[in-house]
CSV table of all heavy atoms in Angstrom, one decimal:
chain,number,residue,atom,x,y,z
A,127,SER,N,74.0,83.6,98.3
A,127,SER,CA,74.6,84.7,99.1
A,127,SER,C,76.0,84.2,99.5
A,127,SER,O,77.0,85.0,99.5
A,127,SER,CB,73.7,84.9,100.3
A,127,SER,OG,74.4,85.8,101.2
A,128,LEU,N,76.2,83.0,100.0
A,128,LEU,CA,77.5,82.5,100.4
A,128,LEU,C,78.4,82.4,99.2
A,128,LEU,O,79.6,82.8,99.3
A,128,LEU,CB,77.3,81.1,101.1
A,128,LEU,CG,78.6,80.4,101.5
A,128,LEU,CD1,79.4,81.3,102.4
A,128,LEU,CD2,78.3,79.1,102.1
A,129,TRP,N,77.9,81.9,98.1
A,129,TRP,CA,78.8,81.8,96.9
A,129,TRP,C,79.3,83.1,96.4
A,129,TRP,O,80.4,83.3,96.0
A,129,TRP,CB,78.1,81.1,95.7
A,129,TRP,CG,77.7,79.7,96.1
A,129,TRP,CD1,78.1,78.9,97.1
A,129,TRP,CD2,76.7,78.8,95.4
A,129,TRP,NE1,77.6,77.7,97.1
A,129,TRP,CE2,76.7,77.6,96.1
A,129,TRP,CE3,75.9,79.0,94.3
A,129,TRP,CZ2,75.9,76.5,95.6
A,129,TRP,CZ3,75.1,78.0,93.8
A,129,TRP,CH2,75.1,76.7,94.5
A,130,LYS,N,78.4,84.2,96.5
A,130,LYS,CA,78.8,85.5,96.1
A,130,LYS,C,79.9,86.0,97.1
A,130,LYS,O,80.9,86.7,96.6
A,130,LYS,CB,77.6,86.4,96.1
A,130,LYS,CG,76.7,86.2,94.9
A,130,LYS,CD,75.5,87.2,95.0
A,130,LYS,CE,74.5,87.0,93.9
A,130,LYS,NZ,73.4,87.9,94.0
A,131,GLN,N,79.8,85.8,98.4
A,131,GLN,CA,80.8,86.2,99.3
A,131,GLN,C,82.1,85.6,99.0
A,131,GLN,O,83.2,86.2,99.1
A,131,GLN,CB,80.3,85.8,100.7
A,131,GLN,CG,79.1,86.6,101.3
A,131,GLN,CD,78.7,86.1,102.6
A,131,GLN,OE1,79.5,85.7,103.5
A,131,GLN,NE2,77.4,86.0,102.8
A,132,ILE,N,82.1,84.3,98.7
A,132,ILE,CA,83.4,83.6,98.4
A,132,ILE,C,84.0,84.1,97.1
A,132,ILE,O,85.2,84.3,97.0
A,132,ILE,CB,83.1,82.1,98.2
A,132,ILE,CG1,82.7,81.5,99.6
A,132,ILE,CG2,84.3,81.3,97.7
A,132,ILE,CD1,82.2,80.0,99.5
A,133,TYR,N,83.1,84.4,96.1
A,133,TYR,CA,83.6,85.0,94.8
A,133,TYR,C,84.2,86.4,95.1
A,133,TYR,O,85.3,86.7,94.4
A,133,TYR,CB,82.4,85.1,93.9
A,133,TYR,CG,82.8,85.6,92.5
A,133,TYR,CD1,83.7,84.9,91.7
A,133,TYR,CD2,82.2,86.7,91.9
A,133,TYR,CE1,84.1,85.3,90.4
A,133,TYR,CE2,82.5,87.1,90.6
A,133,TYR,CZ,83.4,86.4,89.9
A,133,TYR,OH,83.8,86.9,88.6
A,134,ARG,N,83.7,87.2,96.0
A,134,ARG,CA,84.3,88.5,96.3
A,134,ARG,C,85.5,88.3,97.2
A,134,ARG,O,86.3,89.3,97.3
A,134,ARG,CB,83.2,89.3,97.1
A,134,ARG,CG,82.0,89.7,96.2
A,134,ARG,CD,81.1,90.6,97.0
A,134,ARG,NE,79.9,90.9,96.3
A,134,ARG,CZ,78.7,90.4,96.8
A,134,ARG,NH1,78.6,89.8,97.9
A,134,ARG,NH2,77.6,90.7,96.1
A,135,GLY,N,85.7,87.2,97.9
A,135,GLY,CA,86.9,86.9,98.6
A,135,GLY,C,86.8,87.1,100.1
A,135,GLY,O,87.7,86.9,100.9
A,136,LYS,N,85.6,87.5,100.6
A,136,LYS,CA,85.4,87.7,102.1
A,136,LYS,C,84.1,87.0,102.5
A,136,LYS,O,83.0,87.3,102.0
A,136,LYS,CB,85.3,89.2,102.4
A,136,LYS,CG,86.5,90.0,102.0
A,136,LYS,CD,87.7,89.6,102.9
A,136,LYS,CE,88.9,90.4,102.6
A,136,LYS,NZ,90.1,90.0,103.4
A,137,ILE,N,84.2,86.1,103.4
A,137,ILE,CA,83.0,85.4,104.0
A,137,ILE,C,82.6,86.0,105.3
A,137,ILE,O,83.5,86.1,106.2
A,137,ILE,CB,83.3,83.9,104.1
A,137,ILE,CG1,83.8,83.2,102.8
A,137,ILE,CG2,82.1,83.1,104.7
A,137,ILE,CD1,84.2,81.8,102.9
A,138,GLU,N,81.4,86.3,105.4
A,138,GLU,CA,80.9,86.9,106.7
A,138,GLU,C,81.1,85.9,107.9
A,138,GLU,O,81.0,84.7,107.7
A,138,GLU,CB,79.4,87.2,106.6
A,138,GLU,CG,79.1,88.3,105.7
A,138,GLU,CD,77.6,88.6,105.6
A,138,GLU,OE1,76.8,88.0,106.4
A,138,GLU,OE2,77.1,89.4,104.7
A,139,ASN,N,81.5,86.5,109.0
A,139,ASN,CA,81.8,85.7,110.2
A,139,ASN,C,82.9,84.7,110.1
A,139,ASN,O,83.1,83.8,111.0
A,139,ASN,CB,80.5,85.0,110.7
A,139,ASN,CG,79.3,85.9,110.9
A,139,ASN,OD1,79.5,87.0,111.5
A,139,ASN,ND2,78.1,85.5,110.5
Side-chain angles (χ1 to χ4, degrees):
S127 176
L128 176 58
W129 297 346
K130 286 179 181 178
Q131 291 174 37
I132 294 172
Y133 185 56
R134 296 185 188 111
K136 300 292 183 182
I137 303 173
E138 291 179 8
N139 301 320

